[in-house]
Amino acid sequence: MYLEEYRKARQAGLKEAKVCQARGGSPYLPVLDEILSQEETCGEVELGLVVPLELIVGTRSAGRSRALSRSFLPLMEEDSEFAGKWIALCKAHMDEGICDPIKVYEYMHTFYVVEGHKRVSVLRWFGAVSIPAQVTRVLPIRNDSKASRIYYEFVDFYQLSGINYLWFSGVGRFARLQEAVGKAPDQPWTEEERRSFFSFYTRFSALFGDKSAKELSGRLTTADAMLLFLDIFTYRS
């Protein structure tokens, strides 16, 4: 049973790798060390989070990058040590669940795995939404670029709300959301408010995530669409 799951996951991974190569891209996980070698940073911050699996996009170092496709699907042979451990994790997930936190680095609102690559792979294969994680945030140099301004607006919003799954494509939208939910600019969120908003966002995201909506949205993020929705229908209603 579990070997068959690995076989199906590997077949999907090999297919994805071929598609990436055909498009001229790397079939393997992005490597944060290689990204940071071309960027300036200004420090690190330790966080304890539950990380959305869809935001885990790569690995910290190159050592694990070739064992998995870009969607964390396994690529190693079925008789490899990697496959054996993946299958054992598959069984553990089905029997009792995977609870041990992984270790990741966050850079520009995406996450790169240090420890727990196979846990991410198994949970993503079975459609899990999030995973417990010990997170180190790498802070980029603050400047006047659009990307930097949006990122530091996210950092400020996170300090107030503890919410890490939202992303906007334009400047000023985290502040607009803070206002839309009835909060003062510097007012922290309560745990109950976080849970209520997550419930609302999850329902909205499920509807907006329909294929036809994606095709129409272009570069519009789910959070962008949600904010437009709140401009018409108030958060309270």
Side-chain angles (χ1 to χ4, degrees), residues 153-164:
E153 286 180 2
F154 159 73
V155 171
D156 292 341
F157 177 76
Y158 173 78
Q159 292 296 322
L160 295 172
S161 66
I163 292 172
N164 70 335

Side-chain angles (χ1 to χ4, degrees), residues 77-151:
E77 297 289 343
E78 293 175 18
D79 59 353
S80 65
E81 180 183 1
F82 179 94
K85 292 181 178 179
W86 195 100
I87 291 167
L89 277 173
C90 177
K91 183 178 185 302
H93 172 65
M94 299 298 288
D95 289 348
E96 56 196 39
I98 296 174
C99 300
D100 292 338
I102 61 172
K103 292 184 179 180
V104 297
Y105 275 74
E106 183 250 300
Y107 180 68
M108 296 297 287
H109 199 240
T110 50
F111 296 86
Y112 300 81
V113 181
V114 180
E115 295 180 9
H117 297 75
K118 289 183 286 293
R119 276 170 276 173
V120 172
S121 179
V122 169
L123 288 175
R124 286 186 67 156
W125 175 248
F126 284 99
V129 174
S130 60
I131 187 171
Q134 298 173 10
V135 180
T136 300
R137 172 173 289 160
V138 181
L139 294 171
I141 292 292
R142 189 191 292 260
N143 54 46
D144 290 331
S145 70
K146 179 181 177 181
S148 176
R149 292 168 65 192
I150 293 173
Y151 181 74

